[in-house]
Structures are given as C-alpha cells and as structure tokens.
Amino acid sequence: MAISYKDCNSALNNVFFDGRHAGQPVYLTLDNDMRDEVGRQLGVEPDRVEGAICRHIGDWLERRGNPYDTIVSAMELWRRAGMKSQPYFTAVLFCLSHAATIMAAEGEFAANNYYIRLSQVTGIERQRLSQHGNTTDMLWSALRDWLVLNNFGLGKPTAVATTTWKYVGKAISQAVVRASDRELFHDLFERYNFSGSESISLKEMEFYLSHWIAGSKANSRLRNAWARTELRERVVEAALAQLSKWSSGDAGTKTGFPASAGSLRLSLLANFVQRFPRQVLELHLGRMSSEDSAGPFEMEGEGDEFFMASDRFGGYSTLSPSPLGRGIGSRFHLAGVSPGLRPLDWQPRLVIPLVRSSQENLWAEVAKVSFGVPHVVLVRDAHGLPGRVESYLATAAMKMPEKASPSELPGLPTGWILYKDVQVRQPDRVPGDDLECLVPWSNDGMLSIGGGMQLLPGFYHASKPILVDFLSSAGPTRVEAWTNGASPGSLAKVDSPGNDCSLLLDAAQLRFPDGITLRASQDGIERASAEVYFRDADSPRPLNREGRGRLAYMSVVSATPAQGSVGKTTVSGMEPSEASFSRGASSIDTSSVLPEGSFEEEQQPVPGASTVRQASSETCIERGYHYWICETLPPGRARNTPLEQRCKGCGTMVVMLHRGTSQAGGALAALPIPISRIGQPEPPRFDPIDADGFLDALCFLGSGSWGKFQALAGLGNDPASTSSRQVAQDLSLLGFLDVELVPGSNAIRSWCVPRASVNFVDDGKAFLSGFRSPRLVDAIMDATQRHGGRAYREDLTGRPPAVWLVDIDVASARSAFSAIADPHGRNVAILERPGEALASAFEWLDGMSSSLRPVSIGRPASLQAFDARKARWMDAGLASRPGAYRWNDGFQAYAYVGPDGSAWAGPYQAVKVLAARDDGVFLWQYDKARGIFRATLGCDPPGLLGRALVASSGYLPRIGRGTISYSNISPTVASSVLAALTTEKRDEGNHRRSQSG
C-alpha cells in the first residue's frame, strides 16, 4: 500500500494530538508505544517508521527553491480559516525533529551537523535546507499558536530555540532528551523521595539534576546534553514533563527496596474541613490519578481489602477504607489481589511537609519545602523534635506559622504536632539531618498567582482579577506583565524596595489570545517568569475526540459515561435520544396530607476504630530520630557538594545541601517565637457565588471531576459539602449539567455540560439551558428579535441569570437559530415541552434500584433510621428492620434495608423512596387543577425526575414550610414522575438480586 503525505501526517497527529498529552508538554518524537501505533496505521515495521516517514516528507517537499513553500502556503490558509482542524504540517516538523534526534544520539550538537542529518533523511541538498531554515520557524510558531488556541488540551508546546542556533534550536529542543532517556528520570524521583505530588520549579529541578546527573543511571547522552549550558534548560523541562507522567501513574517506577519493587508511591493528603464551630483535619493516602478505581489490594497480615478510587476528591485517587486510623507511624505496603496490579507503598517520616495542590483544595505530601511557599508540616512529637523544629523556624521562617496539637485539631493523630502556613528561606545555619526536608534548595524567588478563578494550570477565567506576588530573599523587587506574540508590549509594572512585590491585574482587560508573560526580578536580575492566559466559554477547551468525559443518563437517577450507551435510550441535558410515548396517566391516590420534612444535612462524623495495627516502638518514627549513613565526599569535589544520606533503619534518603556549612549542635538554641494556635473557623457564610461566571467556567471546561467543581465554586473543601452539592443539583435540575453519582452513594463523581437547547414551556415562551457563552447567548437573543420575538435576562439569586425568549413559536425558532452554532460547532437544540419529552423516556430508563449497590451496615455509632410518616431521622441501635438508614463514620452513607434483610447503599432520595414504598407512605402530591407537584422537603424527586418537573416551567422549585413545590406541571409529567417514584419497573424486580449475585 502506497503511503501518502496525508497518511503520515494523520498518523502522527493521532499519536501527538489525540488528547493523551492534555496539559502536559508534547515532544514531536516517538517512544516505543507511539512508534508501534504509527507503524500499525501506516503498515510499516516499528523500527522503520521514522525513516519511512522522513523519506515520504523529502519526496513531498519542493525540489527547487524553498523546500517548504507548499507547506507554508497550506499553513497560512489553515491560519486564516481559524486553525480549526489538526495541523497539516506536523509530519514536516516531525522530520525536522528526527534529524535532531540522530544528531543527539551522536552527541554532536551543531547547526552544520544538523543540516547534514536533515539532508540524509530527506534526500534534499543540505545547502537549500540551511538557506531556508528560517521558514521552519513559521511552522513551529503556528503549532504553538494552535496548542494555545486549544488551551493546552492537546498538549503544551515545547519547541524553544536555544541561544546559539536561532532556527535549528527548536528542532533540537525536541530531541535533546530522547523518549527512552526520559524514563531514566524515574531513578531521580525515587532516589530523592518524590511523593508524586510535587510541583517543582525549573530552578529546583535543576538543583536535583545537577547532583543526580553524575549518577550511574544517567547515560552519556544526558550527560553530554547537561554539559552544554545552552541545552541544560531543555533537560530540566524534559525531567519536569516526565515527573508529570510519573506522578499520575502513567509511567513505571522502581525503588531500591525489594519490599516495594515496582510499587506506586502514595502521598499523605491533608484536608481541612470547616465544620463550625470546629475545624477538622482529614488524612488520606493517595496519589494524583485520572483512574476511576483500582483494586482490590491487601496488606500483609491484614484480612481487609482496600481500593484506590477518585470518588472523594476527583483529581486524586485515595485508599479506601483509610488504613491510617488513628496513627501515621507505620509503613504501609499493599499488594494487588489481581494479576497486573502494581503494589502500593507509603513510608512515614519524622517531619512531613505538605503543599497545597494546584488543582484540588488539598494539601499533598512533598519531599522537600520550596522557598516562600506556604506549607503544612506534620512533626512527630518525640525526642524533642517539635522544639528543634520551632527553634529552626525562629531563624528560617519568613513569618510565624500556626500550631495545633491533637486536642486542638480533631483528626490530627496522637503523638503528632501540626504547623500551618510554614514559609521558609535558606537558613544561616543548617538544622540537622532530621530536618533537612525543611531546607529549600534556593532563595532565588517565588512567583505566585492568587485570586481569580483558575480553570487549568496557567489559565484563568476572564471575569475575575488576579494578584501576582513575587517573594525574594532581598530587595528591591519588580513584577512586570508583557503581552506575548511577535511584538511584545508592556502592560503593567510595579516596583518595591523590599523583598516582596505584588501586581493586581484585571483579567477582563487581558484577553489576549496569546496570553501574557509575567516577569519577576530582584535587584535588576530576572528570577522567575510565567505565562498566563485568560479565557471564557467563547474559547472553550476542546471536547475529547473519543468522548471521554461525556455523560448520558441511562437511569433516572444518575448519568454514566456516554461511551457505553450505544443502542440504548439515553438523556443528555433536556434531550432524550429518541422520541417515545408515555405509559399514560397513573391512578395513584395522592390526596393524603404530606409530612413536613427538612433539608438533608450531613451528620457529624463519629470516627470508627482503626483497622490497622499500630507501628512497632522500634521504628524511627516512634523513636523520634534516624540512624544516618552518610555518603563520603568524592576527591576534588567542592565541600558544599550535595551528598546523599540514607537511614539504616527505615531507608529514608535525603540530599544534604549544606555539607561544609556550620551546623548547630544537638538542638538549635531555644528562642522565643510567636507561634500561635490554629484559630477556629468563622461562622459559615452564605454569600451567593458568582453563578454566571461559575457556569461560564464550567462551560469552558466542558466536563470534570467533583474536586474541580468544588475548587471553581469556592464553597469550601469538604467533599461532602452540602452547599457545593446543592449548587450542582440546581444546575442539574435546570439542564446546565449532567451529573454522575458514585454507585451506591450520594457523592458526585463527575459532571459534564450538555449542548445548548431552547426549551419551550408553552407555545410562545422558552428558556435556554445547557452550554452557554457570551457570544452564543447574544446570537440567540439577536436572532429572536430579528424574527419578531423578544429576549431578556432574568437575574435570580444563587443561580445563573435565566435567558427567556417570548413571542416566538417553535417553527420560527428553528428557522431563526438554524445557522447558529456554539464554539464547538454544535447546533442549538429546539425542544418542545421538554418536561413531557423527559417524562416519556422514564419507561425506557433504569429506575431507582439501578443506583444501589450491596453494603454491610455493621454497627456504626451514628446510625439513624428514617421515619417516613414523620419525615425525620431517628437514632437507631441496629439496622434490624426494613427501611432507610444513614450513618457517618468519616463519610456520609445512606442505605436501604429490604424486607429480606439485604442492605443496599444509595443516594438519600433513593433510599427514602424505597422505604416510603414499603411503608405505603406518599411523600409526593399532584394538584391537577393548579398544575402543582409537591414533595416533602428532603424527599425531592432525584435526577431526571426533578429535571422533568423543573423543565416544565424553567424555574427551580419553591421551598415552603417543610415542603417543596413545582409549577406548570402537566398530568403527563406528574403521572410519569409519580409512577417512577412509587412503582418498580418489571425488569428491575430482580435488579438487586442480580447485583448481589
């Protein structure tokens, strides 16, 4: 089969820009897996892929004059068309990169040598390639602009010219570190005890590499590249890119200990939950991961099974049930029960620094502190260690932290002290081996961005200002903002005579497509820089081409990933996948008086007993100190060369930065330091969120985890927060979000934004739901007015403004909006009476029982039973009778116990519904004459049942005295909702039994 240029380009686009590198640097070179994939697409043996592609590129390029004339012309047309398709020039850039890879393999970095290699792989004479090398810069710039336009959802650009070679440098930057070389960095991460949660700066990673590069794991190619100053930054960038993959479990890891060979290293995660009047600390073991779940795992000597799941925090997978119990003094090694599951491992330390995650409201364990960055530090309360830490902080802290003991901070394990808001600089005297993790690598300066609404790393919502802070070891300091692009211009500047400097930027004035560059300097020398971009839903993150992240309802309660919905009736937003007919009006009698309920609130957790043995008193952690074995200084090396030290007892390894610096004796001199106790949280506030900007941010992302939803909402970091969950429920009822629940739980796992729809509640009135962006809404409102209708916004507290279209009928709307599409290219759905359309789908969707999973309730101390007749939770000793139950032993849980004694966990609405059925109690009413559907408060119809009721009017229900009511409800909608609430579908009669089987 003949291979065309288009075939080569398409195959390369499929492996470089299919979303696998989302948010991560993408290099235009192939690793073994990618090479196999491209080979299969082209019908070429893997070891011949690069050569075959380069030959085809050489044959396709111009044989006279500028070899790149044709591809540059195509690129310019592509630019003018809006860069909506994948690049047409990826194969050319790949060919340029491959020539640099050959040169890098030989260790001969030179511009002349590069063009010799490029001539060899393309068959084009070297002189012409060199003469027109400047043309390739246009292609690299176009690729960068395309990746920026797609908000790094397809990868981050990595082509950067070195200072020596202006045009050749970008190709060389792709090949300084080959794909096989990057795997060698895993040894660096393991050697220096990286936890998998680090966010390392370029400067910090350079310190690690400068020590590691001389080790046995670095090959000659890496050492040769490191020896060239102009290439050193490219090596650092490659190490940071590999760390990102290693942290998420995408790359293999090895350690020096047989007990954990091939294991995934877990991190300690801390979560401060504001439960007025006391703040509570939650500790978990986990790691950054996109996997939904993995397991089971077993701990040696224990009979319990553990799972890794992202149910709780979204961006992090955590070990459940938590093995920490009341102590963090033991090493945990868990082996996979099934073949292919890599073991999990966590090693405690005497001093454990944690830093705030950039994507979640969590604090995650790190190997070492960074200059000026706020940390939480856990310190073992043994052998005088807290006193030594406090004496060190008296000289190194930039401001005094807060302190808490277990009696002051519920959830902090016995025998540990917690310090919050620890910010340190390099000290004049080193604090001793056990505190080396509290010594930052450098004082070069820290640039941070606060405020605003962070959408993605480096991307912020255009509705809120950001505050840029620079902290250095000394003054004077400066922060500047510059536009990116061919002609950078100064936007703002602020100077400070001190060691800190802040610049406030109004994001609404900074919507430059190419973003802006922030530069921070100390005494005239640039110390840090960062690129930031401001976006809204008019330029959203691209949808995943394989549909990952998209949800659809196959059940009336919860959405699930859309990939498994082929051939089934589904619902997305307000749209059923196919038209169907309702089963007709129900004959249910709803004339009884409704019991008055209340909002469903979380219980106060009652911790259960630890399931894991406590640590032996012989461990370093219990003892309070390590037995260090120190590396000797190699002959001829400077006295301040960083050296490794490993504990003989537990294997902990540190790199001593200040070898040769004067060190204090057994303990630093005690100094009076004002370390205050951690204050109690303020009473809860109920300020409404910026619902319009929040919805726009959700539309920009398109889909995401529950943790990301909470971080954007800014409503606290409690995963079970009722305020965040209520916001999500309201947006779901209004059709702005589809929501996936954790099976058998009320917890939200993920969400996605369906396409925009115009929903007619009667013949001349409609409201908008689903995706919205400023330009899309303006286009719909303008088109409505051009076709004789009227459009207006209605401001509503706590929810996005409603957009209403009146005096326009369905036929006119279809004509008016036919040419309108959202930024993803999707047209606008026109839906007639969406409440009835949704209700008609209930018969074909799974019912209440589909949301349940088997559970063992046991004897939780906080167990309560639901009295359906009074609509109240009552204390219960045992779950001995059929009905609905709830308990909280660290995580809120609900369950239904059937007449046969089987127990099933599920959302609180579902278990109450099933309990009410068993008791013959009606918690819902329909007033046909007034078109009002009422429900007991706290027993509101879940999922699509509630959405169908809200879709009938476009308004959320009204809250009354112990009840909740929906308006403009037709008999068709009411009967379908009541039937789904009070009867079980025929095909579900054995649903729970089949699950348990």
Side-chain angles (χ1 to χ4, degrees):
M1 179 185 73
I3 303 174
S4 67
Y5 174 87
K6 185 177 180 180
D7 294 332
C8 295
N9 196 70
S10 176
L12 291 171
N13 277 330
N14 288 341
V15 297
F16 291 137
F17 307 124
D18 65 345
R20 72 184 69 181
H21 299 292
Q24 297 181 354
V26 55
Y27 294 89
L28 299 192
T29 56
L30 300 175
D31 60 25
N32 289 334
D33 291 339
M34 296 164 72
R35 190 175 293 110
D36 290 344
E37 190 174 340
V38 172
R40 286 194 299 271
Q41 294 183 58
L42 299 179
V44 176
E45 292 297 320
D47 59 350
R48 300 176 59 191
V49 164
E50 285 93 343
I53 291 177
C54 289
R55 283 195 303 273
H56 283 288
I57 303 309
D59 292 341
W60 188 81
L61 292 175
E62 298 296 326
R63 311 311 295 180
R64 294 181 180 180
N66 188 339
Y68 309 107
D69 271 347
T70 299
I71 197 66
V72 168
S73 298
M75 178 271 293
E76 290 174 342
L77 288 173
W78 173 76
R79 270 189 179 278
R80 288 196 290 271
M83 300 188 290
K84 295 181 180 179
S85 63
Q86 290 183 320
Y88 190 54
F89 48 85
T90 303
V92 173
L93 296 180
F94 172 78
C95 185
L96 301 176
S97 302
H98 181 59
T101 301
I102 298 174
M103 185 176 66
E106 298 168 351
E108 299 178 11
F109 291 96
N112 186 58
N113 185 40
Y114 170 78
Y115 285 115
I116 291 175
R117 299 296 174 262
L118 184 59
S119 176
Q120 289 173 346
V121 299
T122 60
I124 296 177
E125 57 269 24
R126 177 177 61 83
Q127 184 176 358
R128 275 204 306 132
L129 292 170
S130 177
Q131 180 182 356
H132 298 284
N134 61 327
T135 307
T136 63
D137 193 55
M138 300 170 62
L139 302 178
W140 288 114
S141 297
L143 176 63
R144 181 193 184 280
D145 292 345
W146 180 69
L147 291 173
V148 170
L149 180 66
N150 284 280
N151 304 313
F152 298 160
L154 302 174
K156 297 176 70 172
T158 55
V160 181
T162 64
T163 56
T164 305
W165 309 296
K166 185 175 181 181
Y167 304 121
V168 174
K170 291 188 177 181
I172 292 177
S173 70
Q174 303 297 287
V176 170
V177 181
R178 298 176 63 179
S180 58
D181 299 336
R182 294 173 204 148
E183 297 181 359
L184 300 177
F185 292 131
H186 303 168
D187 175 69
L188 179 150
F189 308 147
E190 290 287 351
R191 178 173 295 189
Y192 299 146
N193 292 322
F194 281 24
S195 66
S197 301
E198 280 81 5
S199 179
I200 305 293
S201 68
L202 279 167
K203 193 67 176 179
E204 289 174 309
M205 182 58 80
E206 184 176 350
F207 274 106
Y208 283 107
L209 282 165
S210 64
H211 178 62
W212 173 82
I213 204 76
S216 60
K217 294 293 184 179
N219 59 25
S220 58
R221 283 194 302 269
L222 282 176
R223 295 194 188 103
N224 290 338
W226 188 259
R228 302 184 71 102
T229 305
E230 67 272 19
L231 300 179
R232 187 166 291 185
E233 189 172 337
R234 305 287 82 79
V235 180
V236 176
E237 290 170 344
L240 289 172
Q242 196 65 20
L243 175 62
S244 178
K245 291 186 176 182
W246 181 84
S247 297
S248 63
D250 292 339
T253 61
K254 298 289 182 183
T255 72
F257 301 102
S260 59
S263 63
L264 288 173
R265 180 169 293 175
L266 301 179
S267 299
L268 187 67
L269 306 174
N271 181 30
F272 292 91
V273 180
Q274 305 295 338
R275 290 189 176 130
F276 186 77
R278 303 196 74 183
Q279 190 178 61
V280 176
L281 175 69
E282 292 182 351
L283 293 177
H284 304 270
L285 291 180
R287 63 182 290 114
M288 291 182 66
S289 177
S290 58
E291 296 179 357
D292 288 335
S293 62
F297 300 90
E298 287 184 348
M299 196 175 302
E300 183 179 353
E302 304 289 338
D304 296 314
E305 289 188 340
F306 300 85
F307 292 83
M308 286 290 289
S310 56
D311 298 346
R312 194 161 177 79
F313 297 111
Y316 284 83
S317 289
T318 54
L319 204 57
S320 179
S322 174
L324 296 178
R326 298 182 183 275
I328 54 174
S330 299
R331 178 178 183 174
F332 299 122
H333 183 76
L334 297 92
V337 174
S338 304
L341 278 177
R342 296 172 61 191
L344 307 174
D345 192 80
W346 182 71
Q347 171 71 55
R349 297 184 282 165
L350 291 172
V351 179
I352 307 174
L354 304 97
V355 71
R356 186 183 290 277
S357 166
S358 62
Q359 293 299 296
E360 305 276 347
N361 276 322
L362 286 174
W363 296 83
E365 179 182 358
V366 290
K368 194 178 185 70
V369 299
S370 298
F371 167 74
V373 176
H375 295 81
V376 165
V377 179
L378 287 167
V379 178
R380 182 75 176 101
D381 191 6
H383 203 63
L385 197 57
R388 293 163 56 200
V389 168
E390 293 178 17
S391 294
Y392 166 69
L393 293 178
T395 62
M398 308 191 77
K399 68 175 186 177
M400 288 302 104
E402 294 181 312
K403 173 183 178 180
S405 64
S407 63
E408 297 163 324
L409 181 61
L412 178 62
T414 302
W416 291 81
I417 301 294
L418 181 140
Y419 298 89
K420 194 174 183 181
D421 201 15
V422 175
Q423 300 180 55
V424 295
R425 60 170 68 86
Q426 279 191 351
D428 296 329
R429 296 186 303 165
V430 295
D433 300 349
D434 291 342
L435 304 187
E436 181 65 25
C437 65
L438 297 182
V439 181
W441 278 116
S442 71
N443 285 341
D444 273 351
M446 186 268 298
L447 185 67
S448 63
I449 302 174
M453 185 187 298
Q454 187 177 22
L455 302 168
L456 297 167
F459 287 82
Y460 293 82
H461 196 263
S463 66
K464 295 182 181 294
I466 63 170
L467 183 64
V468 183
D469 288 306
F470 176 62
L471 182 64
S472 185
S473 57
T477 51
R478 170 182 289 184
V479 176
E480 301 172 89
W482 292 74
T483 60
N484 287 336
S487 301
S490 177
L491 292 170
K493 178 179 67 175
V494 63
D495 291 284
S496 170
N499 69 328
D500 60 340
C501 191
S502 298
L503 175 62
L504 182 66
L505 292 173
D506 184 358
Q509 306 299 318
L510 301 172
R511 302 189 190 193
F512 300 100
D514 293 332
I516 66 173
T517 295
L518 304 173
R519 296 172 183 164
S521 58
Q522 184 263 320
D523 198 18
I525 301 174
E526 185 172 316
R527 298 294 188 184
S529 65
E531 287 188 355
V532 293
Y533 304 84
F534 300 96
R535 296 287 191 265
D536 60 18
D538 279 332
S539 54
R541 182 173 66 173
L543 299 175
N544 187 281
R545 287 183 170 82
E546 283 143 19
R548 290 196 296 269
R550 310 309 299 167
L551 302 175
Y553 286 86
M554 289 176 278
S555 154
V556 297
V557 178
S558 171
T560 51
Q563 294 96 314
S565 62
V566 178
K568 300 179 180 179
T569 298
T570 62
V571 171
S572 176
M574 297 291 187
E575 298 179 85
S577 60
E578 58 187 66
S580 55
F581 296 95
S582 173
R583 47 190 153 190
S586 170
S587 60
I588 298 170
D589 179 11
T590 61
S591 59
S592 59
V593 177
L594 282 181
E596 294 181 359
S598 60
F599 286 106
E600 185 62 34
E601 300 286 352
E602 299 284 340
Q603 297 171 275
Q604 286 296 319
V606 179
S610 172
T611 60
V612 180
R613 64 188 182 279
Q614 294 296 311
S616 165
S617 60
E618 296 299 318
T619 66
C620 299
I621 306 305
E622 289 295 315
R623 188 168 52 238
Y625 56 89
H626 294 289
Y627 292 113
W628 294 108
I629 300 175
C630 304
E631 180 185 7
T632 58
L633 185 68
R637 301 290 291 274
R639 290 194 63 194
N640 62 352
T641 299
L643 297 176
E644 296 179 2
Q645 292 191 171
R646 190 178 297 277
C647 176
K648 180 180 179 181
C650 66
T652 296
M653 198 279 294
V654 299
V655 177
M656 300 296 295
L657 178 64
H658 295 276
R659 180 67 58 200
T661 305
S662 61
Q663 179 171 320
L668 290 170
L671 296 173
I673 52 176
I675 295 182
S676 60
R677 297 291 174 176
I678 288 181
Q680 293 304 321
E682 297 291 329
R685 298 175 59 183
F686 299 98
D687 297 337
I689 65 171
D690 174 13
D692 196 25
F694 176 58
L695 175 60
D696 191 89
L698 297 178
C699 291
F700 168 88
L701 292 172
S703 61
S705 69
W706 178 233
K708 187 61 181 179
F709 183 96
Q710 287 186 297
L712 288 173
L715 294 173
N717 54 352
D718 184 354
S721 169
T722 53
S723 56
S724 296
R725 204 171 60 234
Q726 186 62 53
V727 171
Q729 180 172 316
D730 289 348
L731 292 176
S732 173
L733 291 174
L734 291 163
F736 290 118
L737 290 184
D738 290 334
V739 174
E740 178 190 15
L741 300 181
V742 175
S745 169
N746 204 59
I748 296 173
R749 169 179 284 169
S750 67
W751 53 270
C752 83
V753 179
R755 73 165 174 161
S757 63
V758 174
N759 312 292
F760 279 85
V761 296
D762 59 34
D763 292 337
K765 186 177 182 181
F767 67 94
L768 299 188
S769 67
F771 181 94
R772 65 164 60 170
S773 72
R775 283 201 290 265
L776 178 64
V777 172
D778 289 345
I780 291 174
M781 296 179 74
D782 290 345
T784 300
Q785 293 167 356
R786 288 197 306 271
H787 284 72
R790 184 166 58 91
Y792 65 93
R793 288 179 171 88
E794 180 183 7
D795 291 330
L796 299 168
T797 302
R799 55 152 287 192
V803 177
W804 289 100
L805 313 178
V806 295
D807 300 331
I808 185 171
D809 58 28
V810 174
S812 298
R814 289 198 172 103
S815 173
F817 309 143
S818 61
I820 296 176
D822 71 10
H824 296 296
R826 300 175 299 185
N827 60 0
V828 179
I830 311 298
L831 305 177
E832 190 171 5
R833 300 195 182 276
E836 295 188 5
L838 291 173
S840 69
F842 294 163
E843 184 175 1
W844 313 103
L845 301 176
D846 292 336
M848 290 291 169
S849 295
S850 64
S851 65
L852 307 180
R853 63 174 175 81
V855 69
S856 175
I857 297 178
R859 297 172 175 266
S862 58
L863 187 68
Q864 292 184 318
F866 184 68
D867 186 331
R869 299 184 186 281
K870 297 180 179 179
R872 293 288 186 273
W873 289 104
M874 313 293 289
D875 290 339
L878 294 173
S880 56
R881 301 180 57 187
Y885 293 86
R886 72 172 185 174
W887 66 96
N888 190 326
D889 53 8
F891 186 75
Q892 187 67 59
Y894 297 86
Y896 165 72
V897 175
D900 61 354
S902 60
W904 304 87
Y908 73 83
Q909 297 105 320
V911 302
K912 289 179 180 180
V913 165
L914 297 176
R917 286 182 188 174
D918 290 347
D919 289 345
V921 176
F922 292 111
L923 302 175
W924 315 274
Q925 284 182 347
Y926 176 55
D927 184 338
K928 182 177 180 180
R930 299 169 60 196
I932 294 177
F933 188 99
R934 299 173 66 235
T936 295
L937 190 59
C939 305
D940 44 305
L944 291 182
L945 306 183
R947 184 179 294 180
L949 296 169
V950 170
S952 298
S953 67
Y955 288 101
L956 291 171
R958 293 180 177 273
I959 309 299
R961 181 177 176 180
T963 61
I964 186 170
S965 58
Y966 306 78
S967 60
N968 198 39
I969 309 302
S970 70
T972 300
V973 173
S975 63
S976 295
V977 171
L978 286 169
L981 289 168
T982 56
T983 60
E984 198 76 9
K985 288 172 55 180
R986 288 176 299 173
D987 61 336
E988 286 185 343
N990 297 319
H991 180 80
R992 292 191 294 272
R993 287 192 293 275
S994 66
Q995 280 189 319
S996 61

